[in-house]
Every structure is written in C-alpha cells, then in structure tokens.
Amino acid sequence: MPSRPFTAVRPLSHLFLKPRVLPPRTQIRCLTQADVEDPGMNGGYINPPPEKRQFRDPYGDWWDKQERRNFGEPLHEDHDILGVFSPYEYTHFTARKGFFLMGCFITTVLGLCGVVSLYYPDRPSAPRMFPGGLDRELGGKGTILVSSRVCALT
C-alpha cells in the first residue's frame, strides 16, 4: 500500500477562489541592422554548397589530397560533418536490396537446416535392454540407501 494517497487532500476553499489574472506581457523583437545585413548570421561568410568530401574525385589534382580540397577554397560551415573523416555515408546497397539479400540469407539457412534434418541419420545403435531392468542398480525396491553422513565419514 502506498505511503501517501494518490490524490491530494485540499480544503474546499480552493473551489471558490478565482485564479489570479496576470497582466499580459508582450515580447517585441526588434530587428537590428546586423539582422538585415547578415541574414545567415555568419559574419558575411560566403558559404559554399554542402558537398561531402567523400563524393569528390579521389584522383583529382587537389592541393590537399587527403581532404580533397584546394588551397584557398572556402570551407562550409559544417565542414566537420562534410569532411573526409566524418562518418562514412553508405551508398553500396539500397535498403530494398539489403532486405532482399537478408531474406535470401535467412531462407538459405532455414532451407539447409530443413534438408539436414531430413537426411540426418538415426542413432546407429539400438537401446540396450537389461534382464529385469536396472531397478535395483538405480535405487529401486530392495536397495540399501546410503546417507550423506556415512559418505562424509569414509
């Protein structure tokens, strides 16, 4: 049982009180001259179009071969995301082809398991039969029970 009730116990006077009405506060945003002259808010920097360095020609005549850029070329604002060392964009398969290949793999594995279960040989031997069974050897009627204290003393 919970230590406190789920609903708070309040006096009935709260039903008769009117809620406080706060005076309306308006926010007026003023456009400054900087907002008008620089809508991108980047100090007038000419931002080149976003292009991942991964998709640039790796054999091109670049000044920086590793980053695939030329000297003096302006960097994009999101250079850390668009650079060569950013996470690699996987374009080898489409999602549709990937799911198709996964389905083929699962079908092949399950089909192979089914074929193996059909042709798997049975046990090479027959179960062994004992005359009178193993009743006495396995602790049936007429067996002498050994207690754990006797085993510990020996």
Side-chain angles (χ1 to χ4, degrees):
M1 180 155 176
S3 61
R4 294 194 297 175
F6 289 109
T7 59
V9 178
R10 290 188 248 167
L12 292 176
S13 62
H14 82 280
L15 295 174
F16 303 111
L17 295 177
K18 293 182 180 178
R20 285 190 301 164
V21 179
L22 297 174
R25 295 181 185 175
T26 59
Q27 283 187 341
I28 300 173
R29 184 169 188 272
C30 299
L31 285 177
T32 62
Q33 190 65 25
D35 292 336
V36 174
E37 290 177 0
D38 188 18
M41 303 296 271
N42 58 2
Y45 185 75
I46 299 170
N47 208 10
E51 177 188 10
K52 278 189 78 83
R53 303 274 193 241
Q54 163 192 349
F55 299 124
R56 285 189 168 186
D57 182 21
Y59 304 109
D61 188 26
W62 304 107
W63 179 76
D64 184 2
K65 302 267 187 218
Q66 189 169 2
E67 272 292 323
R68 299 179 189 162
R69 66 181 288 261
N70 290 320
F71 182 77
E73 180 181 357
L75 293 175
H76 192 271
E77 280 183 278
D78 299 325
H79 171 67
D80 53 344
I81 297 171
L82 300 173
V84 171
F85 297 111
S86 64
Y88 188 76
E89 190 168 325
Y90 189 76
T91 57
H92 189 65
F93 288 127
T94 61
R96 183 176 180 176
K97 186 174 180 183
F99 285 125
F100 172 74
L101 290 174
M102 281 177 36
C104 289
F105 171 75
I106 291 170
T107 304
T108 303
V109 168
L110 292 178
L112 182 64
C113 289
V115 168
V116 167
S117 69
L118 288 176
Y119 291 107
Y120 193 73
D122 290 337
R123 291 191 335 184
S125 63
R128 200 165 160 193
M129 302 301 288
F130 295 95
L134 291 174
D135 189 38
R136 185 166 180 242
E137 285 79 7
L138 295 177
K141 282 187 176 179
T143 58
I144 301 171
L145 298 176
V146 180
S147 67
S148 60
R149 288 187 310 167
V150 175
C151 292
L153 295 175
T154 58

